[in-house]
Amino acid sequence: MKVWKFGGTSVGAPERMHSIANLINDGEKKIVVLSAVSGTTNTLVEISKLSLKKEFEAAKGKVQELQNKYLPFVENLYSTAEGKSKGSSILEEHFSLLKNHIKEGFSEVEEKLFLAQGELISTKLFTSYLQEIKMKAALLPALDFMKIDEENEPILSFTETELGKIIKQHSDIELFITQGYICRNSKGEVDNLQRGGSDFTATLIGAALYADEVQIWTDIDGMHNNDPRVVRRTYPIAEVSFDEAAELAYFGAKILHPTCIRPTQERKIPVRLLNTMAPKEKGTVITQKGSGNAFTAVAAKDGITAIKIKSTRMLNAYGFLRRVFEVFEKFKTSVDMITTSEVAVSLSVDNSKHLDAILTELSTFAIVEVDHDQTIVCVVGNFTAEQPGMAIKVFAALKEIPVRMISYGGSENNISVLIDSKYKNEALNAVNEGVFFAENISV
Ligand code: ASP
Ligand code: MG
């Protein structure tokens, strides 16, 4: 069994749905996870916000606008009168649900119900199209087998048993279509796996079924070795390990959310990233072992604040780091990079919500300096201690750039530097040339 997931742009128009119907029709049994049609979830968020503020007329206006956007689906997705009437009744059902709930008493429970409508609509439209063209497809309601606990953590064992049962009941079916993102919570209400959560649904299903592979279909050709928007020469990476992919996702590569890699990593199920617009391209595969290449990719994370904390007490003061970290713990602010010397510690945070309070508290026992608008440039690869010459390539490439912090040795997969964001583009291009096109640089 394979699990394929298509994002919002891949189902964003009737013609796009036609092409993915073609793609999935390859004779292999699979579960197809769909996002909402692109833009839909954002609009549902707006409608919910208006309803929570009791701006009911404005909310209803937006529902109508959204409904109008779906009219081309009825017209162009189906070719038979029967198909078109099925399409209309799907839209009617979901849009009247939205309209009927916009009234006094609208709460967060309704909000979550609203956010689920995008995936419910896209999967129903798509499944009825597959049935119109006589493909053996069945719709599996994600609300029957996707569940989160009190801590909002998905319950994989629940998916394993429930989905297993449902699939057994449909032994004649080749294509199962289901909703990404949506689930039930511990109270049994409709809930979700957070924005962008459809990838997570796909990896959870893949893990639950011990699938052969999870494929994530988007509109770019896999993971690039560097940010193509700012870097001159980039290329798609053929293979990357789970650990590397997690570092890249965390440090800015937008392609996959770090938490969504976990279920497949634990069960060693490869995840392949592919492009719906260029389905013959190889894309990127995330595996347990990765490519083993020295350098894999570079990612950057902006909006970082650097904090230097100098002990006001003498050298060798033990307990200093503990006091520092207790402050960050108290304000639930996680630290990304850290470097220490005997008398001072520098660290970086990406969440500056509680920064003022943190600084006030640190100042009671240390001298504190802050730099805003910093960027972490994170070079990902395989940097085992036995392998010499890796770090120097990175730093030689950066020889013209003022570096604020360096982190090396924390994990075998990551060399990170912190720089002022104004040097970001220059730094990314320099590292790119230095590590991937090494003949261009002299150490
Ligand atoms: N439709 C949801 C969102 O826009 C989930 C997803 O697309 O992954 O966040
Ligand atoms: Mg998405």
Side-chain angles (χ1 to χ4, degrees):
M1 181 79 87
K2 289 197 168 159
V3 181
W4 287 22
K5 179 257 166 179
F6 292 94
T9 42
S10 303
V11 293
E15 307 72 47
R16 311 281 323 125
M17 285 198 179
H18 291 158
S19 34
I20 67 169
N22 247 331
L23 273 176
I24 59 176
N25 193 13
D26 61 358
E28 278 194 74
K29 216 172 163 115
K30 58 178 76 71
I31 298 196
V32 177
V33 178
L34 299 185
S35 284
V37 166
S38 55
T40 301
T41 315
N42 285 344
T43 309
L44 293 168
V45 169
E46 287 171 31
I47 294 168
S48 306
K49 285 210 176 108
L50 289 168
S51 309
L52 285 168
K53 286 194 289 187
K54 301 190 192 301
E55 293 180 28
F56 300 134
E57 283 318 304
K60 283 186 180 155
K62 278 226 173 294
V63 172
Q64 194 52 54
E65 251 174 62
L66 184 62
Q67 183 164 5
N68 294 345
K69 283 201 189 150
Y70 277 88
L71 296 178
F73 280 87
V74 174
E75 249 342 278
N76 305 326
L77 181 61
Y78 309 97
S79 53
T80 62
E82 204 189 334
K84 286 182 207 284
S85 109
K86 184 85 212 302
S88 301
S89 61
I90 292 167
L91 295 181
E92 195 44 47
E93 179 196 340
H94 290 276
F95 282 98
S96 37
L97 177 142
L98 289 169
K99 287 174 195 156
N100 292 339
H101 277 85
I102 298 177
K103 57 178 185 222
E104 223 37 73
F106 188 95
S107 70
E108 279 170 13
V109 177
E110 278 78 23
E111 180 178 18
K112 287 173 174 167
L113 179 69
F114 273 35
L115 297 188
Q117 299 307 309
E119 273 71 9
L120 291 167
I121 295 172
S122 64
T123 49
K124 285 191 187 177
L125 290 176
F126 185 62
T127 311
S128 56
Y129 167 63
L130 296 181
Q131 288 163 347
E132 181 190 49
I133 59 170
K134 307 278 183 273
M135 280 167 69
K136 276 197 182 140
L139 182 65
L140 302 183
L143 298 178
D144 290 351
F145 58 84
M146 295 300 295
K147 195 169 172 182
I148 49 175
D149 62 17
E150 289 83 1
E151 311 276 294
N152 295 331
E153 281 295 319
I155 311 172
L156 187 59
S157 56
F158 180 82
T159 304
E160 212 168 322
T161 26
E162 294 308 310
L163 184 57
K165 272 192 238 161
I166 301 171
I167 288 177
K168 270 213 188 96
Q169 290 159 6
H170 290 88
S171 53
D172 55 325
I173 296 291
E174 276 185 357
L175 294 166
F176 296 100
I177 315 300
T178 194
Q179 299 87 18
Y181 173 63
I182 68 173
C183 61
R184 286 197 188 274
N185 61 26
S186 56
K187 294 185 212 142
E189 298 154 354
V190 173
D191 210 316
N192 60 64
L193 302 174
Q194 308 296 325
R195 293 303 308 273
S198 295
D199 293 342
F200 203 8
T201 303
T203 55
L204 286 161
I205 292 179
L209 297 177
Y210 286 91
D212 304 320
E213 186 169 285
V214 174
Q215 297 190 352
I216 308 277
W217 290 80
T218 63
D219 49 4
I220 34 175
D221 49 355
M223 212 181 243
H224 274 239
N225 71 313
N226 209 329
D227 188 343
R229 291 165 305 181
V230 269
V231 174
R232 285 181 291 275
R233 297 203 278 177
T234 69
Y235 51 84
I237 314 166
E239 188 171 356
V240 51
S241 70
F242 283 111
D243 289 334
E244 290 173 321
E247 301 258 14
L248 285 170
Y250 184 68
F251 284 104
K254 294 264 162 359
I255 191 152
L256 267 185
H257 197 271
T259 49
C260 91
I261 299 173
R262 216 185 328 130
T264 35
Q265 176 165 25
E266 276 164 14
R267 298 196 169 178
K268 300 189 175 56
I269 296 161
V271 178
R272 200 176 288 276
L273 310 173
L274 292 156
N275 185 356
T276 337
M277 315 286 177
K280 297 232 156 30
E281 295 295 325
K282 286 216 307 285
T284 302
V285 61
I286 310 173
T287 59
Q288 200 61 22
K289 63 169 185 39
S291 68
N293 289 346
F295 291 104
T296 304
V298 179
K301 193 174 180 189
D302 297 323
I304 304 290
T305 304
I307 308 170
K308 184 186 279 176
I309 307 152
K310 227 172 146 185
S311 170
T312 47
R313 294 203 289 151
M314 68 295 192
L315 291 178
N316 284 329
Y318 53 79
F320 177 63
L321 284 178
R322 181 183 48 76
R323 288 184 78 184
V324 167
F325 283 113
E326 269 170 4
V327 176
F328 287 91
E329 188 180 348
K330 178 169 166 195
F331 293 100
K332 296 191 164 49
T333 298
S334 82
V335 170
D336 283 338
M337 274 177 82
I338 162 162
T339 58
T340 65
S341 79
E342 189 61 38
V343 289
V345 46
S346 252
L347 42 79
S348 77
V349 296
D350 69 351
N351 170 3
S352 45
K353 196 167 154 204
H354 301 295
L355 190 62
D356 289 341
I358 290 173
L359 297 178
T360 309
E361 202 145 329
L362 290 171
S363 304
T364 61
F365 61 92
I367 300 160
V368 184
E369 280 170 39
V370 180
D371 290 311
H372 297 284
D373 299 322
Q374 305 287 302
T375 293
I376 297 177
V377 173
C378 164
V379 183
V380 167
N382 294 286
F383 314 125
T384 53
E386 296 75 42
Q387 204 172 4
M390 298 289 106
I392 194 157
K393 282 200 177 156
V394 175
F395 299 123
L398 290 172
K399 64 187 172 202
E400 307 293 340
I401 314 267
V403 170
R404 168 76 171 73
M405 278 170 75
I406 293 171
S407 167
Y408 175 66
S411 93
E412 287 187 346
N413 297 113
N414 174 334
I415 301 174
S416 294
V417 294
L418 188 73
I419 57 170
D420 191 304
S421 299
K422 66 182 181 219
Y423 300 117
K424 172 182 159 180
N425 292 3
E426 201 187 326
L428 286 181
N429 277 289
V431 173
N432 203 58
E433 292 300 312
V435 307
F436 300 114
F437 303 94
E439 69 277 12
N440 298 330
I441 200 138
S442 56
V443 174

